[in-house]
Amino acid sequence: MFTLANLAVHIWSSGRTGVPMYTAGNRHLTTLYDSCRLLEMIKSFIPVLSYDQHKGSCGRIAVLGGCQEYTGAPYFAAISSLKLGADLSHVFCAKEAAAVIKSYSPELIVHPILDSPCAVDETSVWLQRMHCLVIGPGLGRDQNLLKTTQDLIKRAKSMKLPMVIDADGLFLVTENPEIIKDYNKVVLTPNVAEFKRLFQAVLGHPADPQGTVQDVIRLSQALGHVTIIKKGEVDIISDGDRALVCCQPGSPRRCGGQGDLLSGTMGTFLHWAYMARAADISKYVVSTSTLCSSWVLTNTLHCNGTWHGRLHIIFHCMFYFQCILIQTE
């Protein structure tokens, strides 16, 4: 019913200003509609289940977020990471949020240490065991939590840990873009409004109101070729050298939590992509894994929105989420 034939991927190289354009040397626009090739690309780095694996082989993912006001966002990010196929999903949150998040699911490992006096050191001990860090869901704007998060980003960079930064984590990056500049293992996931603020902060002038692919490429380049997925009617992904556009429609019902599902699945896909590169299977690690996350989420939202319409909420997505993943088996 929902197949990869619905996913159009346009690949641009950097510096493009229009439609079928050029790159230095050999400029062309490639549009890929071949569902078989796309499916094989996604399957190429999903780890095959094997009796040789141990707990943690398919991913130990950490979500950094969760405060008194926001407990749902870190839950949705962590549980989607787990349901996609990660073996272990951790949440590092403020003490007041921990009991609530634990009550949502016994499968999540919840650490109530993000607002402790020694939060950076305590959390860093755990980060050494993680494969990817998802930063921002439910983090809030408390200055102490933001300062702790900024210090943990620096620690994660020193460990060369892949990161996905969303929600209030993007607020932190907008305030201080230098903390992630030139770090090519990070993915930023702004929506339209967040992208405009980040673009203005980094480049010093407004983004194109038309929301062009070129603006995403320019912002990525200005940040040192970090990967950016600009969420919207279509998702635009770029690492500054190439761009991918996921045209699969999601749901017109824009309820809260959709970005949390994306960031959680992206954490798992990002780890799998690095596993594939280590095995010399996949070349474009970050952009390809980001595309996979976009495809899974938009198909899930499309299916959920089609069935539930205006009643569609993120809780319903958990069922459709796993139905969509069957296509990648």
Side-chain angles (χ1 to χ4, degrees), residues 274-302:
Y274 276 106
M275 288 175 63
R277 187 170 76 171
D280 200 27
I281 296 172
S282 180
K283 181 180 179 182
Y284 299 115
V285 173
V286 183
S287 56
T288 305
S289 60
T290 306
L291 171 64
C292 293
S293 305
S294 175
W295 176 80
V296 168
L297 178 66
T298 51
N299 273 277
T300 300
L301 295 175
H302 188 121

Side-chain angles (χ1 to χ4, degrees), residues 1-7 35 39 248-251 295-308 319-321 323-328:
M1 181 178 178
F2 299 101
T3 70
L4 275 163
N6 296 328
L7 181 66
S35 61
L39 185 57
Q248 167 66 40
S251 169
W295 176 80
V296 168
L297 178 66
T298 51
N299 273 277
T300 300
L301 295 175
H302 188 121
C303 189
N304 193 21
T306 299
W307 183 257
H308 292 283
F319 169 75
Y320 298 102
F321 181 72
C323 291
I324 294 298
L325 291 176
I326 293 173
Q327 296 186 55
T328 65

